[in-house]
Amino acid sequence: MAVAKKFEKLVILGTGGTIAGQASTAQDDVGYVAGALSVQDVLTSVPGVQAILGSVQLISEQVAQLDSKDMDAHTWQALALRVRHWAAEPGVGAILITHGTDTLEETAWFLAQTCGVACPVVMVSAMRPASALSPDGPQNLRDALVVALDPRSQGVMAVCAGAVHAARHVRKAHPYRLDAFSSGETGVQAWVEAGQVRWQHAPDTTTGTAMSLSTPQPWPWVEVMTSHALAHAGSVDALVAAGVRGLVVAATGNGTVHTQWVEALQRAQAQGVTVWISTRCEQGQVVRPASDVCAWGTYTDLPPLKARISLMLSLMH
Ligand code: ASP
């Protein structure tokens, strides 16, 4: 495999997740502790790393060690700053991040919006703990190294089960299967097959701008609210009364919202809460005529969880 010239060093940042998970028996692939192992331990379990790397030096660093369901602003801030730090270091050609699958799509989007780095950032995860009879982490990590070293790689990507997903499109689509991620109707960015990357789409180059993240925490409070049958206006009012700064409505279908919520959302907006409207549909985005301007909210083409991050960042700046 050809290693791009720009590479002297590849950095792997550990944040925990199932890829670093450990159970008390090898048969247990659900009752484990995520983030139990260090990123160095995870790397040690992967055969043939040096053969993939060639002369490239691998630097590992533990940024966090958590179950990604518990992802917090402190870790996001630390991670973004470490990505920027290493990307500015001479000779560093790519950054790998080990991460839990549960909120991987959110961290990927956050980094894609805030890092502003030129090198690829490749997120890697696993659905079975490292202690499992047949863990998927080692193969995923090998694949992620191959993607990181591919001269065509750019932007923030996620590698799992032989598929490469762009931060913009990746979503966790299954709670248990090894091939847990989907890029929906866009399809995967690339496949990794026997140490080769087969590109399907040109890489998504978005790495955002290196925005200031030193804003005092807590970051602006933004919630996702899913419009559904029997919606109750009280849920919107309660969040506004509690001090929410932004609401992303995961609307039904093509951006429609339960009539019980419309007035409550208007009240929210009148009190300074920013409202964005996405769709709870898994595929596609809200399609409105150009002339359609919602009086109390703004339509977004992002899925709700990614819209939540973008709204939070826009309120922050
Ligand atoms: N709860 C784990 C996490 O997100 C799940 C996983 O990594 O697959 O850290």
Side-chain angles (χ1 to χ4, degrees), residues 15-20 32 34-35 66-70 99-104 125-129 172 175 180-181:
T15 71
T18 295
I19 194 167
Y32 57 87
L66 45 67
D67 185 322
S68 83
K69 75 176 176 61
D70 300 321
H99 198 285
T101 58
D102 285 344
T103 58
L104 185 144
S125 58
M127 288 297 286
R128 288 187 187 148
K172 188 170 182 181
F181 291 99

Side-chain angles (χ1 to χ4, degrees), residues 118-173:
C119 72
V121 176
V122 182
M123 301 189 64
V124 59
S125 58
M127 288 297 286
R128 288 187 187 148
S131 55
L133 210 51
S134 173
D136 54 330
Q139 183 64 53
N140 288 346
L141 204 38
R142 283 182 63 99
D143 290 347
L145 286 169
V146 168
V147 173
L149 292 168
D150 190 293
R152 293 159 293 181
S153 289
Q154 273 181 299
V156 181
M157 295 170 282
V159 175
C160 188
V164 184
H165 304 267
R168 170 72 175 78
H169 302 292
V170 67
R171 271 179 167 190
K172 188 170 182 181

Side-chain angles (χ1 to χ4, degrees), residues 30-136:
V30 287
Y32 57 87
V33 178
L37 302 175
S38 70
V39 64
Q40 196 50 50
D41 289 340
V42 173
L43 275 171
T44 308
S45 70
V46 185
V49 168
Q50 209 47 58
I52 297 172
L53 288 170
S55 60
V56 174
Q57 182 196 352
L58 187 62
I59 301 165
S60 69
E61 184 177 287
Q62 197 75 46
V63 175
Q65 218 164 335
L66 45 67
D67 185 322
S68 83
K69 75 176 176 61
D70 300 321
M71 186 51 69
D72 53 40
H74 171 78
T75 306
W76 269 5
Q77 184 174 36
L79 189 57
L81 294 178
R82 292 317 285 163
V83 167
R84 282 188 208 158
H85 165 84
W86 283 113
E89 197 70 12
V92 170
I95 296 170
L96 240 72
I97 299 173
T98 57
H99 198 285
T101 58
D102 285 344
T103 58
L104 185 144
E105 70 211 65
E106 296 174 60
T107 301
W109 186 244
F110 171 75
L111 293 175
Q113 296 306 292
T114 57
C115 275
V117 298
C119 72
V121 176
V122 182
M123 301 189 64
V124 59
S125 58
M127 288 297 286
R128 288 187 187 148
S131 55
L133 210 51
S134 173
D136 54 330

